[in-house]
Amino acid sequence: AQQLAGPAVRAVRARLEAALGAVGTGSPAERYLRVAEDRLAGVGLSGAKRAALGGLAEAARSGALLAMAELRTMADQAVIEHLCGFRGVGRWTAEMVLLFGLGRLDVLATDDYGLRRGLGVLRGGPAARPATADELAEAGERWRPYRSVASWYLWRLAERPELLDAPTETTRQASRRNAS
């Protein structure tokens, strides 16, 4: 989903799942490797993404790419180092695996634009400039050991900055008391 809008991600994912389903059974990696290259191109995957996914599929099949069960036993930095050893997998992708795949609670992807945008909104409103990666890292120190939870809120603010202006139940109750 990196650098794509939500509807585009859903469309590509649906087409990829259909292509994988059309080649029979087996692990997702095995099925990916059986899909014809022209079919993968038609799914909407760039050449670089197809090459990266193909490399990951080969690594999964050979056992070089550790299974999620194995990754769950590893420290965050060890997971990042392992995953970043594969073509097309950078720190951001590895952090998303930690956050969404492994459910780790203390992950803060400081290079993520949505998080930097969310912090900017939190600090200065919808028109504010996005925070820098360093500013996000500094703010994130206060959120340990739940930086993943803070990330979820920052992403929401980046998507819907008007949430800052939405009255909460507490402010609605105070308004009612003041009006009476």
Side-chain angles (χ1 to χ4, degrees):
Q2 187 177 7
Q3 299 179 9
L4 290 176
V9 170
R10 287 187 289 279
V12 170
R13 181 174 289 139
R15 289 191 300 261
L16 180 58
E17 288 172 357
L20 294 178
V23 294
T25 61
S27 72
E30 291 166 346
R31 288 183 290 144
Y32 184 88
L33 293 170
R34 287 197 305 263
V35 176
E37 183 68 19
D38 61 336
R39 177 102 192 250
L40 290 172
V43 161
L45 296 172
S46 69
K49 291 268 192 239
R50 292 192 310 271
L53 288 172
L56 287 169
E58 287 285 355
R61 185 166 63 182
S62 74
L65 176 62
L66 298 176
M68 294 298 273
E70 294 172 273
L71 294 176
R72 278 188 188 87
T73 68
M74 298 167 60
D76 291 355
Q77 189 57 39
V79 171
I80 291 169
E81 289 170 10
H82 173 70
L83 295 176
C84 287
F86 297 98
R87 176 185 177 159
V89 179
R91 184 172 185 89
W92 180 89
T93 302
E95 289 168 336
M96 295 305 109
V97 169
L98 287 169
L99 232 165
F100 297 108
L102 300 175
R104 301 285 171 92
L105 290 175
D106 194 31
V107 178
L108 184 66
T110 57
D111 289 326
D112 186 272
Y113 179 78
L115 294 179
R116 294 186 300 111
R117 168 91 176 105
L119 181 58
V121 169
L122 182 65
R123 288 181 167 173
R129 71 161 175 79
T132 66
D134 289 340
E135 290 168 338
L136 180 58
E138 182 181 328
E141 289 305 311
R142 294 186 301 266
W143 305 325
R144 282 185 188 271
Y146 301 107
R147 293 180 300 168
S148 297
V149 176
S151 295
W152 301 329
Y153 283 101
L154 291 175
W155 275 315
R156 195 63 161 145
L157 277 177
E159 294 168 358
R160 299 204 34 221
E162 72 275 8
L163 291 173
L164 280 179
D165 298 328
T168 64
E169 185 59 32
T170 304
T171 58
R172 281 192 291 272
Q173 290 170 353
S175 293
R176 282 187 217 121
R177 279 194 305 272
N178 291 339
S180 0

